[in-house]
Amino acid sequence: METKRNYVIDFDSTFTQVEALDILGEISLNGDANKDKKLEELKSLTDRGMEGGLSFRESLVERLKLLNAKKEHLAPLVETLKTRISTSFVRNEAFLTDNKEDIYIISNGFKEFIIPIVEELGLKASNVFANDFVFDDADNIIGFNKDNVLSSNNGKVEQLKSMDLQGDVYVIGDGYTDYEIKAAGLANKFYAFTENVERDSVLQKADHITPSLDEFLYVHKMNKAISYPKNRIKVMLLENIHPDALKILKNEGYNVSIYTGAMDEEELSERIKDVSVLGIRSKTQLTKKVLDNANRLIAVGAFCIGTNQIDLEECLKKGVAVFNAPFSNTRSVVELAIGEIILLMRNLPDKISKMHDGNWDKSASNSFEIRGKKLGIVGYGNIGSQLSILAEAIGFDVYYYDLTEKLALGNATKCSSMEELLKKSDIVSLHVDGRKENKNLISEKQFQQMKDGVIFLNLSRGHVVEIEALQQNIKSGKVRGAGVDVFPEEPKTNNDTFESALRNLPNVILTPHIGGSTEEAQVNIGNFVPGKIIDYINTGGTTNSVNFPNLQLPILENAHRLIHIHLNRPGIIAKINKILAAHDINIVGQYLKTNETIGYVITDIDKAYDTEVIKELKKIEHTIKFRVLY
């Protein structure tokens, strides 16, 4: 006979994403002149209590003093908490309702707001054990019921003792008081819940770290709202990727870790071994050596426009889809380009520097308006074309050159060669991609083709300009001013020193690869790239992938979806269909796209199938990767 299971679940920062008393403070202290200071103190008291640095009763007494709360504040608190239930609990509502008899909410919080919340997801009010507020005659919250065992230190332990639960007991929570239940011998295991908050002192005590409820259910082989263990998809985000990306990926149920800087090849080769999804920006180099160690990698998110830092061909050979954000920071780069052009045309970098040194240099010498000047744009893609539109609107005559045929926007004039553009332009701005063929696209020969006194900008890729040639042409005066945002060699972190031959040259603006570094752009990127990765994992869709054949797929309904990635060889799809036919499996939908390297086949089949089918499909010659969606 199977042993009965009991589930003891914490409320604050576990069942909900927040600490309820912190939210109550936001409501009750509204209009208080010292609100921010009191809320900060409230949070500190909460953290100290949860980490074990302050006794629970001391923490509770001090927090209630700060709140100045009334009964009327509880209704808006409940409404707010209903919108802040932890994502993985909402996703697994079926588990909660199916096991409601055996789930106990044991909390040092208060019944007045806990019961309405847990009932939202089908749990029983009689299985909630928590504190009670004490009110005065004017309905002010003046304290708590001191006879309630949960108001005292070690209260959860005493509560569990009195309940005398029979069978196995599993505790899920984020605080030290949850660990105390296990330490007292009243639970089989303590699962540190980290979906909303991570407390180091608690993680050290845990039997198992649980990034979401999905992880707990997966470990115990229980029903889940998801059909495969998303919690086992480990995501690693580097280089200060926007918090929105972290939130989106964690809410999807993935196990996400973050690192503020880039990693060198050796460190990344070691850390990537169990990673399913890697998120990077421009500094991290994803090389063949790294990819050879990436045994579980299925997708890479480039949280930027460029992908020249990624070995796309090697990713393709290993069946790793790469996604970037081709449009998300376009406006930011364009605005920086226009701003720098105006500064350089007015010789402002030098004048600004002199002012900071105390020198007053009021002069119109070498200072020009932009109206009527010829702006030459090399590369007429997303950024180049938008720069064209804005530049024309403020008075530039715009010329452009691109290797591929591009329609002129507005009154822009297409040049038949780059040499033609360089000879005509007063200002040259580079907006090309990072392909290897573009290395040293601009060198001494191209500088000599430019007008004397040209203004030059590179906000594209560091390797497309020969730095020594640019340096010499600035020194000679051929280039009257330059704005450079990208460099062949860039520091991996903000703590590393920036070295360049372009430092301390006249009328030169050097910026630390920040063309797309605006709040708006990072929010856009942080929301765009995770969406593409999630769609790829959930449906197999590869829209906007920079290396995979692009397939937009319908939502999967009442079927299994078989995803087969293989080297582009004749007859693979015939072999797939032959295996399915041999097992009498009906195909309800099939999609195929190829490129020079791989074939990408999506097959939707009836629900029923023999597991032997999967083994045979994986054994097809030239198979790179295979996975099943339910």
mmCIF file of all heavy atoms in Angstrom, residues 55-57 108 149-161 176-184 186:
data_model
loop_
_atom_site.group_PDB
_atom_site.id
_atom_site.type_symbol
_atom_site.label_atom_id
_atom_site.label_comp_id
_atom_site.label_asym_id
_atom_site.label_seq_id
_atom_site.Cartn_x
_atom_site.Cartn_y
_atom_site.Cartn_z
ATOM 1 N N SER A 55 14.312 36.685 15.740
ATOM 2 C CA SER A 55 13.244 35.752 16.100
ATOM 3 C C SER A 55 11.943 36.185 15.427
ATOM 4 O O SER A 55 11.718 37.379 15.210
ATOM 5 C CB SER A 55 13.049 35.703 17.615
ATOM 6 O OG SER A 55 12.391 36.854 18.079
ATOM 7 N N PHE A 56 11.114 35.211 15.101
ATOM 8 C CA PHE A 56 9.906 35.531 14.362
ATOM 9 C C PHE A 56 9.028 36.512 15.130
ATOM 10 O O PHE A 56 8.514 37.480 14.569
ATOM 11 C CB PHE A 56 9.107 34.270 14.046
ATOM 12 C CG PHE A 56 7.755 34.602 13.489
ATOM 13 C CD1 PHE A 56 7.632 35.102 12.212
ATOM 14 C CD2 PHE A 56 6.609 34.503 14.282
ATOM 15 C CE1 PHE A 56 6.397 35.471 11.709
ATOM 16 C CE2 PHE A 56 5.379 34.864 13.786
ATOM 17 C CZ PHE A 56 5.274 35.343 12.490
ATOM 18 N N ARG A 57 8.836 36.275 16.435
ATOM 19 C CA ARG A 57 7.919 37.134 17.190
ATOM 20 C C ARG A 57 8.429 38.566 17.235
ATOM 21 O O ARG A 57 7.659 39.512 17.070
ATOM 22 C CB ARG A 57 7.705 36.590 18.597
ATOM 23 C CG ARG A 57 6.766 37.473 19.410
ATOM 24 C CD ARG A 57 6.229 36.794 20.644
ATOM 25 N NE ARG A 57 5.112 35.906 20.310
ATOM 26 C CZ ARG A 57 4.205 35.502 21.207
ATOM 27 N NH1 ARG A 57 4.279 35.897 22.460
ATOM 28 N NH2 ARG A 57 3.243 34.687 20.855
ATOM 29 N N ASN A 108 3.216 31.903 8.999
ATOM 30 C CA ASN A 108 3.272 32.899 10.065
ATOM 31 C C ASN A 108 2.538 34.170 9.665
ATOM 32 O O ASN A 108 2.568 35.167 10.386
ATOM 33 C CB ASN A 108 4.726 33.231 10.409
ATOM 34 C CG ASN A 108 5.475 32.034 10.964
ATOM 35 O OD1 ASN A 108 6.504 31.642 10.432
ATOM 36 N ND2 ASN A 108 4.965 31.443 12.028
ATOM 37 N N VAL A 149 -0.331 29.510 18.432
ATOM 38 C CA VAL A 149 1.026 28.978 18.485
ATOM 39 C C VAL A 149 1.900 29.520 17.365
ATOM 40 O O VAL A 149 3.123 29.647 17.508
ATOM 41 C CB VAL A 149 0.985 27.433 18.463
ATOM 42 C CG1 VAL A 149 0.523 26.912 17.097
ATOM 43 C CG2 VAL A 149 2.349 26.844 18.814
ATOM 44 N N LEU A 150 1.291 29.888 16.225
ATOM 45 C CA LEU A 150 2.067 30.379 15.086
ATOM 46 C C LEU A 150 2.567 31.805 15.268
ATOM 47 O O LEU A 150 3.321 32.309 14.444
ATOM 48 C CB LEU A 150 1.244 30.270 13.805
ATOM 49 C CG LEU A 150 1.131 28.835 13.270
ATOM 50 C CD1 LEU A 150 0.002 28.707 12.258
ATOM 51 C CD2 LEU A 150 2.445 28.393 12.646
ATOM 52 N N SER A 151 2.160 32.445 16.350
ATOM 53 C CA SER A 151 2.673 33.784 16.636
ATOM 54 C C SER A 151 3.956 33.732 17.448
ATOM 55 O O SER A 151 4.597 34.750 17.667
ATOM 56 C CB SER A 151 1.624 34.606 17.397
ATOM 57 O OG SER A 151 1.497 34.132 18.734
ATOM 58 N N SER A 152 4.323 32.539 17.878
ATOM 59 C CA SER A 152 5.496 32.405 18.747
ATOM 60 C C SER A 152 6.697 31.894 17.949
ATOM 61 O O SER A 152 6.558 31.393 16.834
ATOM 62 C CB SER A 152 5.192 31.438 19.894
ATOM 63 O OG SER A 152 4.887 30.151 19.365
ATOM 64 N N ASN A 153 7.862 32.032 18.544
ATOM 65 C CA ASN A 153 9.059 31.484 17.932
ATOM 66 C C ASN A 153 8.932 29.963 17.830
ATOM 67 O O ASN A 153 8.393 29.316 18.722
ATOM 68 C CB ASN A 153 10.296 31.845 18.759
ATOM 69 C CG ASN A 153 10.457 33.361 18.883
ATOM 70 O OD1 ASN A 153 10.041 34.103 18.001
ATOM 71 N ND2 ASN A 153 11.046 33.796 19.985
ATOM 72 N N ASN A 154 9.430 29.414 16.734
ATOM 73 C CA ASN A 154 9.317 27.973 16.488
ATOM 74 C C ASN A 154 7.863 27.527 16.377
ATOM 75 O O ASN A 154 7.536 26.359 16.621
ATOM 76 C CB ASN A 154 10.025 27.189 17.609
ATOM 77 C CG ASN A 154 10.751 25.962 17.083
ATOM 78 O OD1 ASN A 154 11.245 25.976 15.951
ATOM 79 N ND2 ASN A 154 10.813 24.909 17.883
ATOM 80 N N GLY A 155 6.985 28.469 15.973
ATOM 81 C CA GLY A 155 5.550 28.191 15.940
ATOM 82 C C GLY A 155 5.150 27.125 14.939
ATOM 83 O O GLY A 155 4.239 26.326 15.204
ATOM 84 N N LYS A 156 5.815 27.075 13.790
ATOM 85 C CA LYS A 156 5.445 26.066 12.791
ATOM 86 C C LYS A 156 5.725 24.654 13.308
ATOM 87 O O LYS A 156 4.959 23.721 13.037
ATOM 88 C CB LYS A 156 6.191 26.325 11.475
ATOM 89 C CG LYS A 156 5.687 27.540 10.710
ATOM 90 C CD LYS A 156 6.316 27.639 9.325
ATOM 91 C CE LYS A 156 5.749 28.825 8.559
ATOM 92 N NZ LYS A 156 6.280 28.929 7.175
ATOM 93 N N VAL A 157 6.820 24.520 14.038
ATOM 94 C CA VAL A 157 7.153 23.207 14.609
ATOM 95 C C VAL A 157 6.069 22.769 15.585
ATOM 96 O O VAL A 157 5.584 21.624 15.542
ATOM 97 C CB VAL A 157 8.526 23.269 15.312
ATOM 98 C CG1 VAL A 157 8.774 21.989 16.115
ATOM 99 C CG2 VAL A 157 9.631 23.484 14.282
ATOM 100 N N GLU A 158 5.660 23.692 16.469
ATOM 101 C CA GLU A 158 4.626 23.350 17.444
ATOM 102 C C GLU A 158 3.304 23.040 16.763
ATOM 103 O O GLU A 158 2.563 22.141 17.185
ATOM 104 C CB GLU A 158 4.458 24.496 18.455
ATOM 105 C CG GLU A 158 5.695 24.762 19.297
ATOM 106 C CD GLU A 158 6.166 23.512 20.039
ATOM 107 O OE1 GLU A 158 5.308 22.787 20.595
ATOM 108 O OE2 GLU A 158 7.385 23.253 20.049
ATOM 109 N N GLN A 159 2.983 23.767 15.702
ATOM 110 C CA GLN A 159 1.745 23.520 14.967
ATOM 111 C C GLN A 159 1.751 22.111 14.356
ATOM 112 O O GLN A 159 0.780 21.375 14.449
ATOM 113 C CB GLN A 159 1.574 24.556 13.854
ATOM 114 C CG GLN A 159 0.303 24.393 13.036
ATOM 115 C CD GLN A 159 -0.948 24.607 13.850
ATOM 116 O OE1 GLN A 159 -1.145 25.668 14.430
ATOM 117 N NE2 GLN A 159 -1.812 23.597 13.929
ATOM 118 N N LEU A 160 2.861 21.739 13.734
ATOM 119 C CA LEU A 160 2.969 20.393 13.133
ATOM 120 C C LEU A 160 2.882 19.303 14.179
ATOM 121 O O LEU A 160 2.269 18.257 13.956
ATOM 122 C CB LEU A 160 4.276 20.279 12.339
ATOM 123 C CG LEU A 160 4.216 20.465 10.831
ATOM 124 C CD1 LEU A 160 3.443 19.347 10.156
ATOM 125 C CD2 LEU A 160 3.612 21.803 10.465
ATOM 126 N N LYS A 161 3.488 19.541 15.329
ATOM 127 C CA LYS A 161 3.407 18.538 16.400
ATOM 128 C C LYS A 161 1.965 18.277 16.788
ATOM 129 O O LYS A 161 1.541 17.127 16.978
ATOM 130 C CB LYS A 161 4.194 19.012 17.618
ATOM 131 C CG LYS A 161 5.705 18.904 17.490
ATOM 132 C CD LYS A 161 6.383 19.395 18.765
ATOM 133 C CE LYS A 161 7.908 19.299 18.659
ATOM 134 N NZ LYS A 161 8.576 19.823 19.874
ATOM 135 N N TYR A 176 13.454 30.324 6.809
ATOM 136 C CA TYR A 176 14.122 29.520 7.828
ATOM 137 C C TYR A 176 13.107 28.767 8.689
ATOM 138 O O TYR A 176 13.374 27.650 9.130
ATOM 139 C CB TYR A 176 14.988 30.430 8.703
ATOM 140 C CG TYR A 176 15.976 29.686 9.568
ATOM 141 C CD1 TYR A 176 17.211 29.299 9.058
ATOM 142 C CD2 TYR A 176 15.674 29.374 10.890
ATOM 143 C CE1 TYR A 176 18.128 28.619 9.852
ATOM 144 C CE2 TYR A 176 16.581 28.688 11.683
ATOM 145 C CZ TYR A 176 17.810 28.311 11.156
ATOM 146 O OH TYR A 176 18.703 27.621 11.944
ATOM 147 N N THR A 177 11.944 29.375 8.930
ATOM 148 C CA THR A 177 10.922 28.707 9.754
ATOM 149 C C THR A 177 10.391 27.448 9.084
ATOM 150 O O THR A 177 9.905 26.534 9.756
ATOM 151 C CB THR A 177 9.751 29.664 10.051
ATOM 152 O OG1 THR A 177 9.212 30.142 8.808
ATOM 153 C CG2 THR A 177 10.211 30.840 10.887
ATOM 154 N N ASP A 178 10.480 27.394 7.742
ATOM 155 C CA ASP A 178 10.067 26.175 7.038
ATOM 156 C C ASP A 178 11.102 25.070 7.241
ATOM 157 O O ASP A 178 10.762 23.900 7.418
ATOM 158 C CB ASP A 178 9.890 26.471 5.544
ATOM 159 C CG ASP A 178 8.896 27.585 5.298
ATOM 160 O OD1 ASP A 178 7.747 27.456 5.758
ATOM 161 O OD2 ASP A 178 9.268 28.593 4.664
ATOM 162 N N TYR A 179 12.382 25.460 7.210
ATOM 163 C CA TYR A 179 13.450 24.485 7.473
ATOM 164 C C TYR A 179 13.333 23.913 8.878
ATOM 165 O O TYR A 179 13.608 22.722 9.108
ATOM 166 C CB TYR A 179 14.812 25.139 7.279
ATOM 167 C CG TYR A 179 15.910 24.430 8.019
ATOM 168 C CD1 TYR A 179 16.353 23.163 7.613
ATOM 169 C CD2 TYR A 179 16.484 24.999 9.165
ATOM 170 C CE1 TYR A 179 17.341 22.498 8.325
ATOM 171 C CE2 TYR A 179 17.471 24.342 9.868
ATOM 172 C CZ TYR A 179 17.906 23.087 9.449
ATOM 173 O OH TYR A 179 18.868 22.416 10.151
ATOM 174 N N GLU A 180 12.907 24.736 9.843
ATOM 175 C CA GLU A 180 12.832 24.285 11.229
ATOM 176 C C GLU A 180 11.929 23.065 11.388
ATOM 177 O O GLU A 180 12.140 22.231 12.267
ATOM 178 C CB GLU A 180 12.348 25.431 12.124
ATOM 179 C CG GLU A 180 13.393 26.514 12.341
ATOM 180 C CD GLU A 180 12.868 27.661 13.193
ATOM 181 O OE1 GLU A 180 11.640 27.893 13.200
ATOM 182 O OE2 GLU A 180 13.683 28.332 13.842
ATOM 183 N N ILE A 181 10.912 22.937 10.533
ATOM 184 C CA ILE A 181 10.013 21.776 10.599
ATOM 185 C C ILE A 181 10.799 20.497 10.334
ATOM 186 O O ILE A 181 10.656 19.499 11.044
ATOM 187 C CB ILE A 181 8.865 21.932 9.580
ATOM 188 C CG1 ILE A 181 8.025 23.173 9.904
ATOM 189 C CG2 ILE A 181 7.994 20.680 9.540
ATOM 190 C CD1 ILE A 181 7.008 23.523 8.831
ATOM 191 N N LYS A 182 11.636 20.539 9.287
ATOM 192 C CA LYS A 182 12.466 19.373 8.971
ATOM 193 C C LYS A 182 13.492 19.135 10.078
ATOM 194 O O LYS A 182 13.739 17.989 10.489
ATOM 195 C CB LYS A 182 13.163 19.600 7.627
ATOM 196 C CG LYS A 182 14.334 18.661 7.332
ATOM 197 C CD LYS A 182 13.880 17.230 7.096
ATOM 198 C CE LYS A 182 15.073 16.260 7.006
ATOM 199 N NZ LYS A 182 16.090 16.628 6.056
ATOM 200 N N ALA A 183 14.114 20.211 10.571
ATOM 201 C CA ALA A 183 15.138 20.081 11.606
ATOM 202 C C ALA A 183 14.578 19.438 12.875
ATOM 203 O O ALA A 183 15.303 18.755 13.602
ATOM 204 C CB ALA A 183 15.728 21.452 11.930
ATOM 205 N N ALA A 184 13.276 19.640 13.118
ATOM 206 C CA ALA A 184 12.633 19.064 14.301
ATOM 207 C C ALA A 184 12.227 17.608 14.094
ATOM 208 O O ALA A 184 11.659 16.983 14.997
ATOM 209 C CB ALA A 184 11.408 19.895 14.678
ATOM 210 N N LEU A 186 10.012 16.527 11.872
ATOM 211 C CA LEU A 186 8.581 16.404 11.568
ATOM 212 C C LEU A 186 8.296 16.300 10.074
ATOM 213 O O LEU A 186 7.132 16.249 9.676
ATOM 214 C CB LEU A 186 7.837 17.614 12.142
ATOM 215 C CG LEU A 186 7.894 17.740 13.675
ATOM 216 C CD1 LEU A 186 7.315 19.074 14.107
ATOM 217 C CD2 LEU A 186 7.147 16.585 14.330
#
